[in-house]
Amino acid sequence: MKPVIQEETTGCGIAACAALAGVSYKEAKQLADTLGIRAADKALWSDTQYVRRLLAAFDISASSSETAFTSWDALPDRALLAIKWHLEQDTPFWHWVVFVRENGVARVLDSKQALKSNTRKDFGRIKPKWFIEVTG
């Protein structure tokens, strides 16, 4: 699995779904547009229903609930992680990233444009709040 770079400041959810689906940001954005999902909508990173709908449109199954993060070893092999979680006027916001474990090697695919590498293994610096298991 390869990281997909978000082309919009608030496009992390679209980019995370694109990485899981193995498509480009542009392809995921086009599908998101048909579903009424827009990167400019702040709900994309304060509500899980948008990424769940986009994943379902790609025929990717995800857990129907969020699970509190306890440790990197406890994560499933594929998951959407909520990092940089914070409140703004009593509304939670976060940055979406993808956790993947392939052949026993764990990494985080982070879509943020400004990163030197969008494949991260600096787990001590990443502070997940919770995750959604991606099952199919």
Side-chain angles (χ1 to χ4, degrees):
M1 189 176 309
K2 297 179 181 178
V4 173
I5 310 307
Q6 63 193 72
E7 296 177 8
E8 300 160 282
T9 304
T10 55
C12 59
I14 294 171
C17 291
L20 288 163
V23 302
S24 70
Y25 185 87
K26 182 179 179 181
E27 291 171 289
K29 184 177 175 0
Q30 288 172 340
L31 180 56
D33 284 345
T34 68
L35 299 171
I37 299 169
R38 308 278 187 279
D41 183 352
K42 283 189 174 185
L44 183 60
W45 30 287
S46 67
D47 189 329
T48 64
Q49 71 167 322
Y50 296 94
V51 293
R52 290 178 195 283
R53 284 185 28 229
L54 188 51
L55 288 174
F58 281 119
D59 290 323
I60 297 172
S61 301
S63 171
S64 61
S65 61
E66 297 82 47
T67 304
F69 177 85
T70 56
S71 74
W72 293 101
D73 289 336
L75 287 172
D77 288 342
R78 293 193 313 161
L80 282 172
L81 297 180
I83 69 169
K84 299 182 182 176
W85 192 96
H86 63 283
L87 290 174
E88 289 182 18
Q89 298 177 346
D90 295 325
T91 302
F93 288 92
W94 56 84
H95 176 62
W96 288 113
V97 296
V98 175
F99 174 82
V100 62
R101 187 181 297 110
E102 295 172 314
N103 301 318
V105 178
R107 56 201 169 100
V108 169
L109 308 178
D110 192 331
S111 63
K112 186 176 177 181
Q113 289 179 346
L115 294 174
K116 289 181 182 178
S117 174
N118 297 93
T119 300
R120 299 180 62 181
K121 293 184 181 180
D122 58 335
F123 300 125
R125 294 177 50 109
I126 304 170
K127 307 293 183 207
K129 177 84 168 174
W130 46 262
F131 67 91
I132 297 172
E133 181 175 10
V134 176
T135 55

